[in-house]
Amino acid sequence: MNKIVDAQVSGAPLPQWPAPPGARVLFLTESRTATERQVLERWIETTRPKETSAEAVSFLGLPSTADELQAFGNHLAPHLTDGSVLLAPLRIAWLPREQGGERAARLSDLIMLRDPRRPREAEQKRVVQVEPERCRVVAGQPASIAQLSERAKQAGDADAGDAHAFAEFVSRQATLALERAEYRLIGRRYKLPRLVREQIVASRRFRDGVAEVARKLKRSDASVTKEALVYLHELRTAHSPFAIDMMMQLARSLFSRGYGTQIDYDQAQIERTRMALERAPGIILPSHKSNLDSAVTSVAFADNRLATPTTFGGINMAFWPMGTVARKAGRVFIRRDVRNNPVYKFVLREYLGYLVEKRFSLEWYIEGGRSRTGKLLPPKLGLLTYLVSAYREGRVDDLMLMPISIAYDQLHEVSEFAAEAQGGKKKAENLAWFVRFFRAQRSPFGRIYFRVAEPVSMREMLGPPDGGKSEGDEETLATQKVAFEVSWRINDVTPITGTSLVALVLLAQRGRALTLEQTREELDDYLTSATRRRLPLAPSARLPDIEATRRILDALAQHQVVSVHKGGLQTVFSIGTDQHMAAAFYRNTIVHFFVNAAIAELALLKAAEQPFEEREAAFWDEALRLRDILKFEFFFKDKNEFRASLDAELKLQSPDWRETLARGRESTLALLKGFRPLSAHSVLRSFFEAYVVVADTLAVVDPGIVDEKKLLVDCAAVGRQYMLQKRIQSAESVSKHLFQTGLQLARNQKLLEATDDVAGRRRAFAASLGDVMRRIDTIEALTHERAREQTLV
């Protein structure tokens, strides 16, 4: 056993004797085998100071079952009379072999059904003799009986006067102390919450909360406690560094075949993230466009040696065997709809509050589910509301919300999203689904981009904690404020990819094919605008020559998103047959960067048609009206910031735009023709065409009968009719997702209510959208006119 001591001295620092010379020490040991006990005893014998007699040192094994806890309490009881006795936790940590500078379990360990961090005793004996550096003594922070008794009182647990309850408290504290010590040895990525259920249930806060819920529901405390314990068990996670290593291997293998092993990072953003996570617990909030996102985030945090967050996901992903392994790696599965379950909401609130109070970082998708359109979805407030509450109650000094954008050059899932947009059903997740998903990643899809925005400090957003005095509407507004700030920042760092730019350009052609040179010319306008505005460009969007454009087109053609015709005088490119939804997904990932400019173009046209003295006021009125119509599609800043943004956009195009607008329609048309890019038709046509379909369908529906599910079906039928009649031009407009947003807009404008004047207001709504479409057609006509003029030149 001396090899262990020698090896540890030459490697990591050997733990020091936990007490002053001569003081009484009770070692609380966690050992599974005789070998582990022998190593611990040898360490104690070697480390014990000469001034400390053998009689002053005793041992007590930590319990792992209820029966062992009873025996533990019985053996602990004689020591409770002396508050100076020091309790010192000890355990053994077994490390994997070092490979490439890291000690992590390998896929071969899984195949051989062995966990190098929990070796069988025969393997332990071999390691002690042959690889002693893999066997480490771990010593938790010691505490005296008196200190633990005081700590128990402050936590609301029983003090040393209740031997059994105090023994349970001591056991938990010793285990947590050992966990913290082991994290320092094996790395922060393995830091996961332990004994959460036990700690929560033992707290006075939980007991008081149960009593309050029981009172409101007019139930007994016992029945609410019983139900709450079921939910706590459902939220459970297990602690297994082996499972974390295996999940990391699986995560990397999941995307590495299609995207390569290296994720694209901005290292300055990563370092800023690291510093923020050192200041306060982090709330990791990635965008969600793919089922690969979780794997990408896990690998990104491991690559950059950031602490692994506790990840919350929908319980639909808890299927066997992935759910079992994921729980052991720190994933928490939660129910989707808990609106009518006050006990579950109470438990989830306490669970989240406890984790941030203990400074654990958390992760979930602020959008809730995957975006099927490519745009960032409106934030779901549920979990964030609970954390705002925990912060305001003072359970934590601050929370650092980390807005993250995960972008892909291409995604296999776009075909699934396109099918759902046309009325298809979402496929249930299970093992067979996972196997299909894994196999689908074999084709080359480009690269993955991981971007982290400036952290959002809850303290800076909401001010210092106020003791939880805010509630109701005030708390909701506070949560919305934080959530929308996170969403804006995610959008701001989302990289513009070459794929998204090509999709934006080709979709605007409405079926017309472009040559390679024409495609490049169209792209140049957007690239010039992006560079001038300092928008984030992914490496794939930095197109140094025309061959780089060809490579993007070829990559899209490989997945049939782009159709290539080579049989004529020139090779031409267009959106592939039935691929408009897929292309729209890529376009929509960046369309938010160009929405304000598109609104400004349409507002200029509207204002130019007004009398001279009303033109500028008409411009701002129309811009704000369009902002209101599109508020369910895009994240707009407040009205003052929005106005400033539009003014800045227009001044980039023409510093004297106000004077030009004042001169009337012809001058304004000439102004618009000079815009680079001119984008209203490219950016907004599909959204307004979908709204026109919704408005026209509503206009002929009986005002007294509104069946929204039937309305969606009717909208799909009308949309297909309009496509056949060429009354709408964009195939991606006939989308269930856009129709749903259109109905949300109609509801917001009270067009789904059975009032006396609703029929007339519906017709007026349809007419106003028709006027917007007229101006979108005018913008498109200007682009064609400009193209003809350039061809003649």
Side-chain angles (χ1 to χ4, degrees), residues 189 191-193 234-237 244 247-248 282-286 288 293-299 301 307-315 317 323 326-334 348 351-352 355 360-365 383:
R189 62 184 276 193
K191 182 182 178 182
L192 292 175
E234 192 176 283
L235 294 170
R236 72 194 182 281
T237 60
I244 293 174
M247 286 295 288
M248 196 59 56
I283 309 301
I284 315 303
L285 299 170
H288 194 22
D293 292 337
S294 179
V296 171
T297 305
S298 297
V299 171
F301 271 64
T308 301
T310 297
T311 304
F312 289 77
I315 204 165
M317 299 299 287
R327 275 195 172 100
K328 291 182 178 181
R331 183 174 288 270
V332 180
F333 295 105
I334 60 176
L348 185 56
Y351 194 92
L352 288 162
L355 292 179
F360 285 98
S361 291
L362 313 180
E363 176 197 346
W364 71 83
Y365 300 116
L383 296 183

Side-chain angles (χ1 to χ4, degrees), residues 175 394 397 534:
T175 300
D397 290 335
R534 298 182 179 180

Side-chain angles (χ1 to χ4, degrees), residues 320-390:
W320 183 89
M322 299 308 300
T324 303
V325 178
R327 275 195 172 100
K328 291 182 178 181
R331 183 174 288 270
V332 180
F333 295 105
I334 60 176
R335 300 184 181 191
R336 294 280 189 184
D337 187 359
V338 298
R339 286 172 293 182
N340 298 316
N341 193 333
V343 180
Y344 187 91
K345 289 195 288 186
F346 161 72
V347 169
L348 185 56
R349 181 187 293 265
E350 288 304 305
Y351 194 92
L352 288 162
Y354 171 83
L355 292 179
V356 295
E357 187 178 348
K358 300 303 180 184
R359 298 187 63 85
F360 285 98
S361 291
L362 313 180
E363 176 197 346
W364 71 83
Y365 300 116
I366 195 167
E367 301 166 87
R370 287 175 297 165
S371 169
R372 265 64 174 179
T373 64
K375 294 186 296 85
L376 194 68
L377 296 175
K380 300 293 185 183
L381 303 182
L383 296 183
L384 192 56
T385 300
Y386 296 156
L387 289 184
V388 167
S389 176

Side-chain angles (χ1 to χ4, degrees), residues 94-116:
W94 302 94
L95 306 182
R97 288 193 182 96
E98 185 173 358
Q99 297 184 35
E102 287 196 0
R103 292 187 181 274
R106 306 291 165 177
L107 195 57
S108 58
D109 294 314
L110 179 62
I111 294 171
M112 298 298 292
L113 299 178
R114 66 189 179 203
D115 179 354

Side-chain angles (χ1 to χ4, degrees), residues 77 129 179 202 284 325 521 569 625 675 689 752 771 787 792:
Q129 294 299 318
E179 293 297 323
I284 315 303
V325 178
E521 288 175 9
L569 299 177
R625 189 180 76 88
F675 279 14
E689 284 186 344
L752 302 185
D771 180 64
L792 291 174

Side-chain angles (χ1 to χ4, degrees), residues 8-41:
Q8 192 152 3
V9 169
S10 63
L14 191 69
Q16 300 296 310
W17 186 258
R24 288 183 58 196
V25 181
L26 173 59
F27 284 103
L28 305 179
T29 59
E30 188 180 278
S31 54
R32 298 179 297 114
T33 65
T35 300
E36 290 184 347
R37 285 191 292 275
Q38 290 170 14
V39 172
L40 291 176
E41 289 168 3

